[in-house]
Amino acid sequence: MSILEKYPENVPWDLNIDQSNNNSIKWILSKADIVYTFTRSRINNKYVYVQKNDGRRKAVKEYDARFTYQRLFDEGYSLAAFS
């Protein structure tokens, strides 16, 4: 029997912010010394860049980024945003 996850509907990059400013916003989830940064792609809005600490930035599909964000948030990571 598989467990189905609910589709995360409310992620920060869904906010109705002016699109020209939305591309420069970074959303940060942090817990202790671990930091994840989410940034929307400027080239294709179907992708979000995810970076862990000072590691390599990885482009993932927006759908997968939603689940990653929600899982981290549920694990107790705190959200911050800056542009």
Side-chain angles (χ1 to χ4, degrees):
M1 181 176 163
S2 64
I3 298 173
L4 297 176
E5 267 184 278
K6 182 179 180 261
Y7 181 76
E9 295 178 3
N10 298 318
V11 292
W13 51 87
D14 282 346
L15 295 174
N16 193 9
I17 300 173
D18 179 23
Q19 291 293 8
S20 62
N21 291 336
N22 196 14
N23 288 333
S24 64
I25 297 175
K26 294 182 181 183
W27 295 275
I28 299 171
L29 287 174
S30 63
K31 182 178 177 183
D33 292 338
I34 304 171
V35 177
Y36 285 90
T37 305
F38 294 81
T39 311
R40 216 174 232 283
S41 172
R42 293 182 185 190
I43 300 169
N44 185 344
N45 67 355
K46 294 181 182 179
Y47 288 90
V48 174
Y49 292 109
V50 179
Q51 180 178 2
K52 181 178 179 183
N53 293 335
D54 292 329
R56 188 165 179 220
R57 195 168 68 152
K58 181 180 177 184
V60 296
K61 290 188 178 182
E62 195 269 343
Y63 179 84
D64 294 327
R66 286 177 172 273
F67 282 101
T68 301
Y69 170 85
Q70 189 62 51
R71 288 177 192 135
L72 291 170
F73 191 78
D74 290 344
E75 287 180 17
Y77 282 77
S78 299
L79 174 65
F82 69 91
S83 59

